[in-house]
Amino acid sequence: MSRKERDARRGRLEALRAAGVDPYPARVGPRESIASVRGRFSERDAESLEKENEPVAVVGRVVALRSFGKLVFATLLENGERLQISARKAETTPECFGFVKKLDVGDFVRVVGPLWRTKSDELTVDVREVEMLAKGLRPLPEKWHGLSDVEARFRQRYLDLLVNEEARRAALLRSRIVTAMRAFLDERGFLEVETPVLQPIYGGAAARPFTTHHNAYDQTLYLRISDELYLKRLVVGGIDRVYEIGRVFRNEGVSRKHNPEFTMMECYQAYADYSDMMDLTQAMVQSIAERAIGGSRIEFGGQEIDLAGEWPRIPLRDAIARETGIDILEHDALPTLRAACEAKGLPPGDAPTWGRLVDDLFSEHVEPKLIQPTFITDYPVELSPLAKRSTSDPRLVERFEPFLGGMEIGNAFSELNDPDDQRERLEASRRDLDAGDEEAHPLDEDYLVALEVGLPPTGGLGIGVDRLAMVLADAPTLREVVAFPHMRPRASSGEDAEEEED
RNA sequence: GGGCGCGUAGCUCAGCUGGUAGAGCAAGGGACUCUUAAUCCCUAGGUCCGGGGUUCGAGCCCCCGCGCGCUCACCA
């Protein structure tokens, strides 16, 4: 059992200590990255290496051991790159050979020695000096199948990252995506800012918040569900282009597309409208794809997606009409729209308002088909309390959502900057929600004051970074691109308690 | 929260109509100077998720609970 293996490893750890070796030294001697060694020597043949006989020093984690009587091969892994090392009894000191013989898979070492090529032409460091950098006390997951237990992969992501190349790729890609997003916005003169995570009044989205408490002021605070109202205050304050990439929190269920905390990019541009923000969204995603994956063609869930070119802009009304044959503006009240659904043989469900029924129709019949990048535009005013009313139809607002891979990946509008209209709309939306109630927001009076001071005409955009990463990484669930996805706490009996004892 | 499925060694998995638990890798010992999923011999390793029930007998059947997955709902 594992206890026995750990005892064996601990035995070797104590043996090192007894010999006066620190198994966890503070500093690492001179070394060259494995990538660099490979770069310098990958083209060199056996003879030339032997002639040169130049020692190299590399570090890494032992991920495989193949031991013979007087010869040991091991594979070192450092920053995603592998290199074989060997210890030959005839070519090195007895101490060094014995040390390598006693290594465990999982140990970190630094080795020094000349390069050679084996009979199978593998570039190999022939160890002349070796030192322990950190002793591993637990076995790594099985070398051939890796770690496939889904729960273990998420709860112990470090193991997943170590043995599953896919996990590593997703983590690196996500980082490149965020870097590219930031670079794109910086280049366009957007100022990166940070706004409060702890908010006395939450707003900017329809969602239930997490609630917490500040002891010093005996104050209830909420983890933000959106950055929107604070970022727009900064635009009121004269910062004409702002953005924030940060975590937001929604007290809701977990699914393939949902995590209770997720990363949102929100940006606001003064003197722009939602049409400008569509241009910006398209350019941003294309730029991110170019920088992060080097192209515009991707595969997501077995389907080809091309991010290049102009993305279609389809009014919500047309999109729903196309898929269901129902004109939502012809039936602009709940009872008539319900009747229209029934006439088409579509169950209208139990949506409490006209707006919600429109949303249901869209989610069910249109959204799953929006695989290629698409802007859906011109949403009902009921669904969008912070968006400016459409100039052509007062029942609509200047709002769009970008869709990709059958998922909404963002939300944007011409920001409502009429303080009186904003007050009415916030109050109306609160009345609407009064029935169900859970998402009713307290009115943010200070935000209304800010609007009275004056918000210029402004375009705003939010992008769900995790979802974008999910599509670009061709990941079937959000959790593949979130390093530590939300999990139910593990029942704390068993393992931990047992292990504390010894 | 509802429905369906899953939970067996450190990891990956077998385990028949209910008859007292197995393999590979990992681990320990041994052989081996060309392996890279090394090979060969030997050894050890189990709260079969937890609790209850049915039964002469439960990894397997039933009930309750826990965790995970899929899905629906809530939800952008």
Side-chain angles (χ1 to χ4, degrees), chain A residues 2-13 137 502:
Chain A
S2 72
R3 170 68 54 91
K4 186 174 175 185
E5 174 166 4
R6 254 175 280 152
D7 286 348
R9 286 171 179 252
R10 283 207 175 271
R12 288 187 282 274
L13 176 77
L137 292 178
D502 45 32

Side-chain angles (χ1 to χ4, degrees), chain A residues 265-286:
Chain A
M265 187 290 303
E266 285 195 39
C267 64
Y268 292 84
Q269 178 174 345
Y271 313 111
D273 65 12
Y274 80 139
S275 171
D276 299 316
M277 300 318 274
M278 282 188 246
D279 296 341
L280 186 76
T281 304
Q282 186 178 300
M284 182 186 309
V285 172
Q286 287 169 349

Side-chain angles (χ1 to χ4, degrees), chain A residues 240-413:
Chain A
D240 284 355
R241 294 187 179 205
V242 288
Y243 76 98
E244 177 163 13
I245 297 174
R247 209 65 67 83
V248 297
F249 308 85
R250 298 186 181 178
N251 205 336
E252 288 156 4
V254 175
S255 84
R256 203 168 64 79
K257 304 185 218 175
H258 299 267
N259 198 53
E261 57 177 297
F262 61 100
T263 301
M264 177 96 98
M265 187 290 303
E266 285 195 39
C267 64
Y268 292 84
Q269 178 174 345
Y271 313 111
D273 65 12
Y274 80 139
S275 171
D276 299 316
M277 300 318 274
M278 282 188 246
D279 296 341
L280 186 76
T281 304
Q282 186 178 300
M284 182 186 309
V285 172
Q286 287 169 349
S287 164
I288 289 169
E290 197 59 47
R291 292 187 219 210
I293 62 177
S296 67
R297 290 181 166 277
I298 55 177
E299 189 174 314
F300 179 63
Q303 294 182 278
E304 291 282 331
I305 295 180
D306 191 352
L307 300 168
E310 289 289 317
W311 299 358
R313 304 180 176 192
I314 306 171
L316 178 67
R317 173 195 200 174
D318 298 353
I320 292 176
R322 192 169 68 186
E323 298 296 340
T324 67
I326 295 170
D327 184 340
I328 56 169
L329 295 183
E330 196 175 304
H331 309 284
D332 65 354
L334 182 60
T336 59
L337 186 55
R338 284 186 65 97
C341 289
E342 275 156 9
K344 293 285 181 190
L346 305 172
D350 53 1
T353 64
W354 176 82
R356 287 294 299 276
L357 182 50
V358 168
D359 198 31
D360 289 350
L361 285 172
F362 177 78
S363 304
E364 173 137 358
H365 301 288
V366 183
E367 182 172 8
K369 299 189 173 169
L370 300 177
I371 305 299
Q372 300 301 319
T374 308
F375 294 116
I376 297 296
T377 70
D378 304 319
Y379 284 70
V381 64
E382 287 84 343
L383 299 172
S384 321
L386 299 164
K388 184 175 279 190
R389 226 176 270 271
S390 165
T391 46
S392 56
D393 187 334
R395 293 172 297 178
L396 303 176
V397 291
E398 293 198 352
R399 172 182 176 188
F400 74 87
E401 294 186 332
F403 287 83
L404 192 56
M407 278 189 304
E408 176 202 340
I409 60 159
N411 185 21
F413 25 87

